[in-house]
Amino acid sequence: MLISLVVPCFNEEEILTRFHERVTDEMARLGHEFRLVYVDDGSADRTLAILQELADADPRTRYVSFSRNFGKEAAMLAGLQHAEGDAVVIMDADLQHPPELVGRMLQEHAAGYDQVIARRTRTGDRVTRTVTARAYYWLVNRLVDVELVDGVGDFRLLSRRTVDAVLELTEYNRFSKGLFAWVGFRTTTFGYENAVREEGRSAWTFGKLLNYGLDGLLSFNNKPLRAALYLGMLLMSVALAYAAWIVGVALVRGVDTPGYVTLIVVVTALAGVQMVMLGVVGEYVGRIYYEVKRRPHFLVKATNVVRATSSPTPSASARERRELVRR
Ligand code: UDP
Ligand code: MG
């Protein structure tokens, strides 16, 4: 069995060497043949230089370096495109995904599972983040078609056919948590205690998390559009009922003093609702705009992989992969 480990790295110079040692030790202990596929996501520090040193010292190391920061989703896509072998494990470079769990993943894979997911606890997270995450997953699971689970991230093992399936999904707006859930296959999950980041700091700010959350909501179906439609219909019926009531009262008791405040409140509230609905529609139009441009997901600046293509057609990538394996 050949295993590839895909590792997206963004400004990870402090920890990369230690990560590499820990992972190679662990893989040696497990006794599997493996490749390490590092993706430098346009780091501004010495990440690329360190990767090149690691690759010179260890022929099992591959790296792909982006021309700028394209985001972790693009980095994972590049990693999966360049990963060879029967199974691929995606893990973070900051040692928050304990390499000791890879053995357990391989065991479950040997038992016939295509996706083995390590689910983290929320120990060490700030209370606010835990609470917002809980609320978010409650909401999102009522809206999207695939099941998203709190604590389940990108730390997982994918079988060859699962990787190929994920690579068939060539959409520009990538929300991996959802894509992995969407492809399905036999999946199993086990839990592990969350590890706090040792070096550097998380690239996630509150604003980024908010945008990521919205992406998750909007990437899978048009239920938010539906919700906007229903809300519109609800408001329209309320307005009609209110109008009928006013007319009724005027007929019975004659014309009363007009309600200036009510009028202003209704006008502003309705304007707000309309803006929100326009925003929802705009989000979808924006997504279409990005998809039709058909831009590559990333651009490669340096690599030691034989042939790096940014976003090949699925069939071409499968062919290339076979060639790579043969070589
Ligand atoms: N990462 C990346 N591109 C980015 C941001 C992050 O490749 O734009 C990598 C980062 O180097 C790390 C992983 O994605 O290996 C997870 O990032 P981080 O630790 O910042 O996120 P968190 O663990 O807080 O979810
Ligand atoms: Mg991290």
Side-chain angles (χ1 to χ4, degrees), residues 8-12 39 41 69 71-72 75 91-94 96 129 197 201-204 208:
C9 317
F10 180 53
N11 295 338
E12 302 284 6
V39 183
D41 186 11
N69 181 244
K72 190 185 174 191
M91 60 198 300
D92 285 1
D94 56 8
Q96 276 186 302
R129 187 161 166 190
R197 203 178 218 285
R201 59 196 168 87
S202 169
W204 289 98
K208 272 195 186 176

Side-chain angles (χ1 to χ4, degrees), residues 98-118:
E100 296 74 44
L101 295 180
V102 173
R104 168 98 188 258
M105 289 181 164
L106 290 171
Q107 266 173 23
E108 303 274 4
H109 176 56
Y113 286 103
D114 287 281
Q115 292 200 47
V116 187
I117 306 167

Side-chain angles (χ1 to χ4, degrees), residues 5 22-23 26-27 29-30 89-91 95-109 116-121 155-157 190-195:
L5 295 148
R22 280 269 301 271
V23 170
E26 184 62 25
M27 292 309 286
R29 208 175 60 76
L30 293 171
V89 175
I90 305 175
M91 60 198 300
L95 285 175
Q96 276 186 302
H97 295 164
E100 296 74 44
L101 295 180
V102 173
R104 168 98 188 258
M105 289 181 164
L106 290 171
Q107 266 173 23
E108 303 274 4
H109 176 56
V116 187
I117 306 167
R119 177 183 181 197
R120 74 178 179 100
T121 60
F155 186 26
R156 61 179 76 208
L157 176 144
F190 64 86
Y192 71 98
E193 192 70 12
N194 184 36

